[in-house]
Amino acid sequence: MSASRMCEGRVVVVTGAGRGLGRAHALAFAAEGARVVVNDLGVGLDGRPGAGSPADRVAAEIRAVGGEAVAHAGDIATTEGAASLIGTALETYGRLDTLVGNAGFLRDRMLVNLDEDDWDDVLRVHLKGHFLPLKHAAAHWRAEAKAGRTPEARIVATSSGAGLLGSVGQGNYSAAKAGIVGLTLVAAAELARYGVQVNAIAPAARTRMTERTFAAAMAAPGGGFDAMAPENVSPLVVWLGSAASAGVTGRVFETEGGRITVMEGWRPGPTADKGARWHVAELDQVVRELLAGSRTPAPVYGATTL
């Protein structure tokens, strides 16, 4: 167990916590003294039904080392499942302090081969699966604030580099993860009055979803630093989910190995203002001059240079 106990007394919900990043987050919060609701539907990498209950296993793992945890196996992309998730925290531990959105799966296809169901299912689990638990948690925290018990509440959402830059073959996933950033910014603005801080991370780590991408990035020989271990991401998530992060909200952090980067989103670049409507014939020169004075965008993941 950690010596700092940064989250002593806090109750933390982590979605998709049965494996990979979610499991690492749940264990890290427990090590810092939090009581954890471990949510996982137990599906396979593609979101289809799987065997066993990973949520039960992680909750048992936390209890085995003296922590407190309860499993929740509901579908948090449904109103009933999301309400049940927040209700489990309140009924079991009497409070809720932090919500970590992490659940997701992949259905990778090039856009011309991407089925409508694969689009809908990925948007559903990632984006709707962030929105619905957030909505129910926020309703609870708003009620607490209106009753004069303003919380030190935290929400940590999980985006991706694919959501910030795009990723070839992952149009559905990239769109969902970009949507999570937009949701984070709106939630941070709307919920601040109720004592709720909302931030997002864009992690890079070796999980079921990325094991092919990071197959070559194995642990360093001789037990050295494994830069792609999911446990590397969890310290930032725990800090953002703790009271220690006071004043930090509406931010996106990219994190990989030992590196943390504050991501800076869309900002106005070079501008031309005629003060009247442009003629189409004028724009070739104007737009090209604007682009020449702008920063070159980072390449989309997986894009080839022509």
Side-chain angles (χ1 to χ4, degrees), residues 13-305:
V13 168
V14 184
T15 71
R19 305 178 179 91
L21 283 167
R23 172 182 173 274
H25 300 340
L27 294 175
F29 273 109
E32 292 291 342
R35 292 167 286 176
V36 184
V37 179
V38 180
N39 164 265
D40 202 290
L41 191 56
V43 298
L45 177 59
D46 61 357
R48 295 183 173 89
S53 174
D56 282 334
R57 290 195 294 270
V58 173
E61 194 174 352
I62 290 170
R63 292 193 295 267
V65 293
E68 295 185 59
V70 62
H72 179 272
D75 182 355
I76 48 85
T78 66
T79 294
E80 296 77 11
S84 170
L85 175 65
I86 303 308
T88 295
L90 298 176
E91 293 159 15
T92 305
Y93 299 120
R95 60 184 296 134
L96 173 65
D97 300 284
T98 299
L99 169 64
V100 179
N102 174 76
F105 54 73
L106 296 176
R107 299 274 181 85
D108 291 355
R109 298 285 190 280
M110 302 299 278
L111 289 171
V112 295
N113 296 320
L114 184 61
D115 292 336
E116 185 177 354
D117 287 348
D118 290 336
W119 173 273
D120 289 343
D121 289 348
V122 168
L123 267 290
R124 175 184 179 275
V125 68
H126 287 279
L127 191 50
K128 194 174 182 181
H130 267 73
F131 161 64
L132 286 174
L134 181 154
K135 175 184 177 180
H136 287 277
H140 165 70
W141 288 323
R142 180 180 63 176
E144 288 291 287
K146 288 186 173 182
R149 299 184 295 270
T150 301
E152 290 183 301
R154 306 287 186 263
I155 297 174
V156 184
T158 304
S159 182
S160 167
L164 304 178
L165 298 177
S167 180
V168 171
Q170 295 188 308
N172 49 2
Y173 178 74
S174 297
K177 290 304 192 182
I180 288 169
V181 171
L183 176 63
T184 295
L185 300 180
V186 172
E190 289 188 359
L191 302 181
R193 71 187 70 180
Y194 307 125
V196 184
Q197 294 183 182
V198 190
N199 295 284
I201 61 165
R206 187 176 51 255
T207 67
R208 286 196 306 169
M209 287 171 52
T210 62
E211 60 186 356
R212 286 179 293 180
T213 303
F214 299 130
M218 303 303 289
F225 180 53
D226 180 1
M228 288 294 105
E231 290 78 10
N232 299 332
V233 175
S234 299
L236 175 61
V237 174
V238 171
W239 184 82
L240 288 171
S242 75
S245 64
V248 180
T249 194
R251 295 289 194 150
V252 179
F253 298 86
E254 192 172 63
T255 175
E256 173 185 339
R259 177 178 60 83
I260 297 172
T261 302
V262 178
M263 303 303 288
E264 298 180 340
W266 294 104
R267 296 174 180 271
T271 303
D273 185 354
K274 180 181 176 180
R277 184 181 302 139
W278 292 98
H279 296 292
V280 174
E282 298 175 297
L283 292 180
D284 186 69
Q285 180 179 349
V286 171
V287 174
R288 291 185 185 282
E289 288 178 354
L290 291 175
L291 291 173
S294 68
R295 299 173 62 180
T296 302
V300 171
Y301 288 113
T304 56
T305 303

